[in-house]
Amino acid sequence: MSQRGENRGARVAAAALLCATVLSSVGGSAFSAPRRMEALDRGLVAVPAAAGGVLVSWRLLGDEPARTAFNLYRDGAKLNAAPLAGPTDFVDKTGVSSAAYTVRAVVGGREAPAGKPAGVWADGYLSVPIQPPADGVTPAGEAYSYTANDASVGDLDGDGRYEIVLKWDPTNSKDNAFGGYTGPVFLDAYTLEGRRLWRIDLGRNIRAGAHYTQFQVYDYDGDGRAEVALRTSDGTIDGTGRVLGDPNADWRERGGERPQADKTGATVLTDGTKVARVQGRILKGPEYLTVFDGRTGKALASAPYSPPRDPRTNAPSIEEMTQVWGDGYGNRSDRFLAGTAYLDGRRPSLVFARGYYGRTTLAAWDFRDGKLTRRWLFDSAAPGNERFGGQGNHQLSVADVDGDGRDEIVYGSMAVDDDGKGLWSAQLFHGDAMHVSDLDPAHPGLEKFGVHESPGRNGGIGAAMLDARTGKVLWSTPTDHDTGRGLAADIDPRFPGVEAWGTNSDRLYTAQGRPIDGVQHPRQTNFAIWWDGDDLRELLDKTQISKWDWKTGQAVPLLTAAGAASNNGTKATPVLSADILGDWREEVIWRAEDNRSLRIYATPYFTQRRLVTLMHDPQYRLSIAWQNTAYNQPPHTSFYLGEGMKAPPRPHIRTR
């Protein structure tokens, strides 16, 4: 039997053992509308332990009995005298780097089959070989090469293990504010062993940059295998070599096609935009939303991309673009966001968006039975939606903010309900960072913390904590300038809930908005990660993970990844941070400096906390799907995970 067959057989046998006891651990009414999620294996991982020996950890799954215990084996010999019913990690004090480990679930006194053995990551990380695309030259004669950029994970082949979908960015990728040509963007799929499954070339008609190329990896049709979805155009080449649309089309602006001369002879557009800001942009031509097969990269379905540039025409005039979006050169109209949401409470839908500085549009799509169908379109330009214009962020979040079992889209200073109608608009306007979770366990429901860059329009607010259900401002901090960074994470055990901070102030605030006396906030304001063994969250910035020492007000490094590199300039974000393997703690993926491999780092610290894998918490899993969107933000759970936390509810999911 193949390894894949053994893994699947082990999961099926384990499911049979679990079936009789699952109903006793979750109320029967909970099965009325469970969410369909991935059937994962144990994700067994072994690394050198911080205290010596080998730390082995594995997943507790969201659809198995809470009291499931485990037996752990090293090279076929059982290491535990009695089944392990506590945390899903174990320090093998005499373990060596050549050992191989397996784990077996124990349910009702019966032992399930073992899954795939795990060897020890002797360096503390797994190196995954990757293959950069060939260098290129733009029509203007500018040379470029490729850098490994953002990634996502999904079970592309249905074997219970994640594969990595990696975006390759050319070195001349552009922010929307700048003109110029870019090289094409590529998406690769890799197994954890480094075998490349396919490569998708987005082609010359999709511009490269953080705001242009959002991609989603998720199982949308419920067949047990993840698909990949993103915006495409003429000349996109799928993973099988098939070209979408017109292979000869070139919709890139040359910079001299539609200008007029001013009094000095300089070429400008009719809205005053200089030609240099237009060259290389793609302002016309077809756009598609395409779903690709995760196993092969084959294009399965395409539809005209919605939201479109303009509902009146696919190639609006500069005057029309300026009227509709606020400029005529694609700065505002080509800022895209993407996410995945359970809009019906049971099955995932795609959400692709366009615009947030002014006009704001979002479209929801279903991929069912091989077809793409638009569920709804939200447009701030529609009558009655005026308050929703200009409220968007450089990212979105997805959460069930009103507790009805269906997800909403938190789109910066506004939210869209599961039915595509505006839920609330806080009128705080655009921001660069936000966080949605149960940030304050003393306050009912979920909260949203974010920073804002329009104090002249929002009453001088630089950062604010909102009720995520209503958009009500719970507390805020003042500023008179753009607040570019902000983070919310539980880093201080003395205060209930998270601590929050932004670059508009040097103060560190409690979840209730009280400044912590005598403490300046950490300089790390990009990412956070659950890494060591306690319930607090650690700081992730550049290629370093640090522990906040609340007694001294200093960040103490726990891991510095020599030879690795971060992404996205000053954002200094990882390729991905997620609970990819092992217990509930998070792994982090960085690229190697030479862009020839990815490194997956796993925690070396033992934990006493027993939790279901975070990937079976729907909100957390969806935050991994949207993490690559524009200005990457760290993932968050649907429940409070921090000092003084209560036992979280069992996930209301099904995987089969």
Side-chain angles (χ1 to χ4, degrees):
M1 182 183 292
S2 68
Q3 183 65 62
R4 176 177 174 180
E6 291 176 1
N7 291 342
R8 181 177 293 278
R11 296 202 319 277
V12 171
L17 287 175
L18 302 177
C19 184
T21 51
V22 167
L23 289 172
S24 65
S25 49
V26 181
S29 61
F31 284 90
S32 57
R35 297 190 180 204
R36 176 66 183 264
M37 298 192 72
E38 297 155 316
L40 298 173
D41 68 6
R42 290 294 168 197
L44 190 67
V45 64
V47 297
V54 175
L55 176 71
V56 188
S57 71
W58 57 93
R59 294 185 181 113
L60 177 64
L61 303 174
D63 59 346
E64 65 184 343
R67 295 181 180 179
T68 300
F70 300 92
N71 288 330
L72 182 65
Y73 295 82
R74 181 186 68 204
D75 299 326
K78 190 164 68 170
L79 297 177
N80 50 292
L84 302 169
T88 56
D89 64 348
F90 182 93
V91 176
D92 180 8
K93 296 181 180 179
T94 59
V96 294
S97 60
S98 61
Y101 295 87
T102 54
V103 67
R104 295 169 179 256
V106 180
V107 180
R110 297 175 62 191
E111 190 178 67
K116 184 177 181 179
V120 179
W121 298 356
D123 296 320
Y125 64 84
L126 176 67
S127 182
V128 180
I130 54 177
Q131 305 166 34
D135 298 348
V137 179
T138 70
E142 302 158 326
Y144 59 87
S145 57
Y146 280 90
T147 301
N149 192 250
D150 298 333
S152 194
V153 293
D155 183 3
L156 303 181
D157 56 12
D159 67 352
R161 303 181 73 220
Y162 283 127
E163 285 76 40
I164 299 171
V165 177
L166 173 69
K167 180 173 76 170
W168 288 100
D169 251 10
T171 50
N172 60 356
S173 66
K174 306 291 185 184
D175 184 272
N176 288 54
F178 302 98
Y181 294 102
T182 74
V185 174
F186 293 86
L187 285 186
D188 285 356
Y190 294 95
T191 68
L192 296 186
E193 292 75 30
R195 182 169 63 92
R196 196 178 82 186
L197 302 178
W198 46 257
R199 169 167 287 172
I200 295 170
D201 177 355
L202 295 188
R204 65 169 71 96
N205 294 310
I206 295 292
R207 203 165 187 245
H211 304 292
Y212 294 101
T213 49
Q214 333 302 335
F215 61 97
Q216 294 295 287
V217 182
Y218 216 85
D219 179 9
Y220 293 103
D221 60 4
D223 66 354
R225 299 184 298 269
E227 291 78 41
V228 179
L230 68 159
R231 187 176 62 97
T232 62
S233 187
D234 282 341
T236 294
I237 304 173
D238 77 3
T240 68
R242 184 167 67 93
V243 180
L244 279 63
D246 182 352
N248 299 314
D250 187 346
W251 297 105
R252 294 173 295 182
E253 296 286 337
R254 297 293 190 256
E257 296 171 350
R258 296 192 288 177
Q260 297 177 353
D262 67 8
K263 294 179 180 179
T264 66
T267 52
V268 296
L269 301 179
T270 54
D271 68 346
T273 300
K274 294 184 181 298
V275 168
R277 301 180 77 178
V278 179
Q279 185 183 60
R281 294 181 184 273
I282 299 145
L283 305 179
K284 57 184 182 295
E287 298 175 295
Y288 311 110
L289 174 61
T290 302
V291 176
F292 298 88
D293 187 292
R295 296 168 297 176
T296 65
K298 177 183 178 181
L300 298 175
S302 287
Y305 185 85
S306 181
R309 293 186 180 97
D310 187 90
R312 293 169 291 187
T313 173
N314 187 46
S317 68
I318 292 169
E319 292 83 358
E320 287 176 319
M321 289 183 64
T322 302
Q323 178 183 359
V324 172
W325 295 103
D327 65 63
Y329 60 99
N331 182 15
R332 291 167 174 81
S333 64
D334 277 13
R335 291 181 180 266
F336 301 94
L337 301 178
T340 297
Y342 289 79
L343 300 174
D344 64 2
R346 298 181 298 109
R347 302 180 68 179
S349 299
L350 304 95
V351 178
F352 279 79
R354 182 180 221 125
Y356 41 75
Y357 284 142
R359 185 180 181 181
T360 299
T361 58
L362 299 85
W365 295 83
D366 293 335
F367 179 62
R368 310 279 191 263
D369 301 319
K371 297 180 180 180
L372 270 169
T373 305
R374 199 176 76 180
R375 176 180 282 264
W376 48 252
L377 174 67
F378 174 87
D379 191 341
S380 67
N385 286 344
E386 294 81 5
R387 285 177 55 83
F388 292 89
Q391 304 300 312
N393 265 34
H394 288 297
Q395 70 284 140
L396 51 73
S397 187
V398 178
D400 178 12
V401 301
D402 56 10
D404 65 356
R406 300 182 295 272
D407 288 328
E408 284 71 48
I409 314 303
V410 182
Y411 202 82
S413 295
M414 56 171 276
V416 176
D417 209 345
D418 56 81
D419 59 2
K421 298 178 181 178
L423 184 63
W424 53 259
S425 175
Q427 295 292 288
L428 296 178
F429 297 94
H430 172 72
D432 281 5
M434 68 172 179
H435 309 272
V436 178
S437 183
D438 189 1
L439 304 175
D440 180 3
H443 179 268
L446 304 180
E447 294 77 40
K448 178 255 179 183
F449 176 76
V451 296
H452 306 278
E453 63 177 45
S454 302
R457 302 178 68 188
N458 69 11
I461 292 175
M465 184 78 79
L466 276 60
D467 183 307
R469 181 178 65 86
T470 65
K472 176 183 178 181
V473 176
L474 303 176
W475 57 267
S476 64
T477 61
T479 193
D480 59 2
H481 60 276
D482 178 346
T483 302
R485 298 284 196 283
L487 192 55
D490 186 20
I491 60 174
D492 191 328
R494 296 174 295 174
F495 308 98
V498 304
E499 284 67 51
W501 63 101
T503 54
N504 63 310
S505 168
D506 62 1
R507 306 300 299 271
L508 180 62
Y509 293 86
T510 69
Q512 297 76 36
R514 181 170 69 84
I516 299 175
D517 294 336
V519 177
Q520 291 188 348
H521 69 67
R523 62 176 178 81
Q524 296 89 348
T525 320
N526 282 331
F527 252 61
I529 183 170
W530 284 291
W531 181 255
D532 69 2
D534 61 24
D535 294 339
L536 300 175
R537 211 167 188 190
E538 283 64 61
L539 304 168
L540 169 56
D541 190 60
K542 299 184 176 66
T543 56
Q544 189 172 82
I545 296 173
S546 302
K547 181 74 171 179
W548 181 248
D549 185 340
W550 52 270
K551 295 178 181 178
T552 64
Q554 300 292 322
V556 180
L558 298 178
L559 170 67
T560 301
S566 59
N567 287 338
N568 303 313
T570 60
K571 306 300 183 293
T573 52
V575 170
L576 184 71
S577 178
D579 179 16
I580 302 167
L581 294 161
D583 59 36
W584 59 273
R585 268 89 57 81
E586 296 173 294
E587 288 69 51
V588 58
I589 305 178
W590 284 295
R591 61 184 172 93
E593 290 176 334
D594 64 1
N595 289 295
R596 296 286 175 176
S597 64
L598 300 177
R599 297 180 179 182
I600 306 176
Y601 287 81
T603 180
Y605 299 99
F606 180 76
T607 182
Q608 293 285 1
R609 172 64 68 181
R610 176 183 168 104
L611 288 175
V612 165
T613 175
L614 300 188
M615 294 299 249
H616 274 172
D617 173 52
Q619 181 178 328
Y620 182 91
R621 180 63 185 90
L622 296 175
S623 69
I624 303 307
W626 57 246
Q627 189 178 132
N628 70 81
T629 294
Y631 289 1
N632 304 15
Q633 297 292 288
H636 292 282
T637 55
S638 64
F639 55 90
Y640 172 62
L641 202 173
E643 184 72 18
M645 66 180 290
K646 298 179 181 178
R650 296 287 296 174
H652 185 33
I653 66 171
R654 69 181 183 92
T655 61
R656 299 170 182 85

